[in-house]
Amino acid sequence: MGQIIAIDYGKARCGIAATDDMQIIASGLDTVETRFLIDFLKNYFSLNKVDAAVVGLPVDLKGNNSEVETDILGFIEKFKAEFPQIEVHRFDERFTSKMASFFISQSGKSRKQRQQKGLIDKVSATIILQNFLEQRTR
């Protein structure tokens, strides 16, 4: 069994999280500039067995797609062309950034550390992945 990764896709940078090989626990992996995302994934996939990817689905409270969705769909096309053996799932990412900010604030990190957007992206990806894992087991 391989890992599942999650991508919290953004125009500037993407948070990445991954499960353990048993697909039980989600952990923050890294934050990567969006322009280097495919290269990062190529390297990661060469070192780790990955079965699936979960890409955040940014929708508002009314269920409308966010403006970044067009960029995400383009990324998913590139991803599928580059990694056809890896299954892609979408998962609602509503409130993950707010939840990530809250969890970081509760973690005892300094104010400067809490304001690092890259940390928020990585934690958001972890929340997306953990929620995906929980829903999958129901």
Side-chain angles (χ1 to χ4, degrees), residues 112-124:
K112 187 174 183 176
Q113 289 172 315
R114 289 192 310 259
Q115 292 174 337
Q116 291 178 355
K117 292 188 187 289
L119 178 59
I120 292 170
D121 294 334
K122 182 169 59 171
V123 174
S124 292

Side-chain angles (χ1 to χ4, degrees), residues 25-129:
I25 299 170
S27 300
L29 190 59
D30 208 343
T31 303
V32 179
E33 286 184 47
T34 301
R35 62 190 172 124
F36 300 125
L37 182 57
I38 292 291
D39 291 333
F40 173 87
L41 294 172
K42 282 181 188 176
N43 183 55
Y44 189 79
F45 296 163
S46 72
L47 301 172
N48 300 278
K49 182 176 181 338
V50 176
D51 291 339
V54 179
V55 180
L57 177 63
V59 292
D60 63 19
L61 291 173
K62 295 180 181 177
N64 300 318
N65 288 337
S66 169
E67 63 185 52
V68 75
E69 178 64 9
T70 303
D71 296 330
I72 294 172
L73 292 173
F75 163 72
I76 291 172
E77 283 183 33
K78 289 179 192 172
F79 183 95
K80 287 180 176 180
E82 191 71 44
F83 313 108
Q85 73 283 5
I86 297 177
E87 189 175 359
V88 177
H89 302 276
R90 301 298 305 277
F91 197 82
D92 187 344
E93 65 175 53
R94 267 181 278 200
F95 306 115
T96 56
S97 293
K98 287 185 183 241
M99 290 170 57
S101 295
F102 174 76
F103 291 142
I104 292 166
S105 73
Q106 298 299 305
S107 71
K109 300 242 185 246
S110 72
R111 181 182 174 131
K112 187 174 183 176
Q113 289 172 315
R114 289 192 310 259
Q115 292 174 337
Q116 291 178 355
K117 292 188 187 289
L119 178 59
I120 292 170
D121 294 334
K122 182 169 59 171
V123 174
S124 292
T126 307
I127 293 168
I128 291 167
L129 186 52

